Amino acid sequence: MKEKKSSQYNIRVVEKTIRVLRLLSDGKPRTLTDISQEVDINTSTTYRLVTTLVNHNFLELDDQTGEYRLGFASLELARSYQTGSELLRIARPELLQLRDATSETVHLAMLDGMEVVYIEKMEGLHAIGLMSSRVGRRAPAYCTGVGKALLSQKESQFVLENTEWETLIRFNDRTIVEPQALLAELDLTRDRGYSLDNGEHEYEVRCVAAPIFDHSGEVFAALSVSGPRSRLDPIEENDELIGLTMEAAQAISARLGYVYDGAIGERHA
């Protein structure tokens, strides 16, 4: 697992504990051996960490399978974040309105490094379970709608320096993994004010996403509308869906204190 740069104030045991929790945040149960191998911590240390987390209800151990998963204390933290988040409080009415207007699944996500973290998901009115997204789950930024919307507001140098190009996964033949092709896609996204995911991450899924800005003019989050290609294709010609997505993103940005000048893709604080 890729770690952020360490500082002199980091406490190693806390870092290791966080690595375990982040690993299990994808919802997939794992044995002690699995956890030890995936976070690259020796088995004895991993055992002490997970035992402590189980004792405090941050993890649960299935005695029959020997697998660990997140526990109730982790859920309590997530609920506390959702209750106290200003972004979620402001965004939810707009997300709900967007979901009802489109009948499709709506996401709200934030950027963490070169990954997106989903902080809200409202299932479509006729969802069919194609998408793997879940609240708290991570996904690569370079091939998701919300990810490209967020990266489009970053400098090209940021994208070039923080992307491990040699290890990018090509999920299918639509996935962009070449540096110049991705930068060109991000330039287009920035100019028009929205991004498209034309099956780049999950082949059967189509998505429109738009960035959300805070009062200082910094990109803060992104929202998206996603659904199956059978309903949304051709996504690049779905003007109504694109318009509704951008309107919702702009409404949330405005409530966060951001002022648009009225031109698509152009803005100021």
Side-chain angles (χ1 to χ4, degrees):
M1 296 179 69
K2 184 178 180 181
E3 295 180 68
K4 295 182 178 179
K5 294 180 180 178
S6 298
S7 79
Q8 60 179 321
Y9 302 109
N10 288 354
I11 300 173
R12 288 185 178 180
V13 68
V14 177
E15 285 188 333
K16 292 176 180 178
T17 303
I18 292 171
R19 286 160 62 186
V20 171
L21 290 171
R22 288 187 63 177
L23 173 67
L24 291 170
S25 68
D26 66 2
K28 177 184 175 183
R30 290 171 172 85
T31 65
L32 178 66
T33 301
D34 293 335
I35 296 171
S36 175
Q37 291 176 347
E38 292 188 54
V39 299
D40 195 23
I41 301 173
N42 67 66
T43 305
S44 60
T45 300
T46 303
Y47 176 75
R48 292 196 295 272
L49 290 176
V50 298
T51 299
T52 302
L53 289 169
V54 168
N55 289 340
H56 290 275
N57 296 317
F58 284 95
L59 294 184
E60 294 177 353
L61 171 62
D62 187 322
D63 292 327
Q64 293 189 349
T65 65
E67 293 178 325
Y68 294 86
R69 58 172 55 84
L70 293 183
F72 284 112
S74 297
L75 177 61
E76 290 171 356
L77 285 180
R79 285 176 173 169
S80 295
Y81 171 80
Q82 290 186 314
T83 300
S85 169
E86 180 187 20
L87 173 61
L88 285 171
R89 179 181 61 80
I90 289 173
R92 276 186 176 128
E94 298 294 339
L95 297 177
L96 181 61
Q97 182 175 329
L98 181 61
R99 193 277 308 274
D100 291 347
T102 63
S103 298
E104 302 295 349
T105 298
V106 173
H107 296 98
L108 182 67
M110 300 182 75
L111 190 66
D112 183 18
M114 294 301 291
E115 294 181 314
V116 294
V117 181
Y118 295 103
I119 62 173
E120 182 60 286
K121 177 180 181 179
M122 294 185 177
E123 294 283 359
L125 301 182
H126 39 53
I128 57 176
L130 279 175
M131 285 163 276
S132 62
S133 57
R134 299 287 185 275
V135 172
R137 181 164 289 183
R138 294 170 174 268
Y142 68 94
C143 60
T144 53
V146 285
K148 290 192 291 183
L150 289 161
L151 289 180
S152 72
Q153 304 304 313
K154 299 291 186 181
E155 297 290 339
S156 297
Q157 198 64 25
F158 172 88
V159 178
L160 289 172
E161 291 179 353
N162 289 277
T163 302
E164 296 181 354
W165 299 99
E166 66 280 0
T167 62
L168 290 188
I169 299 173
R170 188 186 292 274
F171 292 94
N172 55 66
D173 59 6
R174 296 173 180 264
T175 310
I176 301 173
V177 295
E178 296 81 14
Q180 294 308 314
L182 179 59
L183 292 178
E185 174 77 2
L186 297 179
D187 285 343
L188 175 61
T189 295
R190 182 169 55 255
D191 290 343
R192 67 191 179 189
Y194 64 90
S195 65
L196 298 176
D197 174 359
N198 204 348
E200 298 158 43
H201 185 216
E202 297 172 296
Y203 188 78
E204 294 295 326
V205 176
R206 300 294 182 266
C207 171
V208 179
I212 294 169
F213 303 94
D214 65 14
H215 67 282
S216 69
E218 293 295 319
V219 64
F220 191 46
L223 61 77
S224 68
V225 180
S226 303
R229 65 172 179 167
S230 60
R231 286 200 296 265
L232 301 188
D233 260 358
I235 190 67
E236 62 274 9
E237 298 177 15
N238 200 326
D239 294 336
E240 181 180 7
L241 187 66
I242 291 169
L244 289 170
T245 302
M246 293 183 68
E247 288 174 10
Q250 291 182 3
I252 296 170
S253 298
R255 293 189 65 189
L256 289 170
Y258 196 76
V259 179
Y260 285 84
D261 64 8
I264 293 177
E266 297 180 4
R267 59 196 198 286
H268 60 82

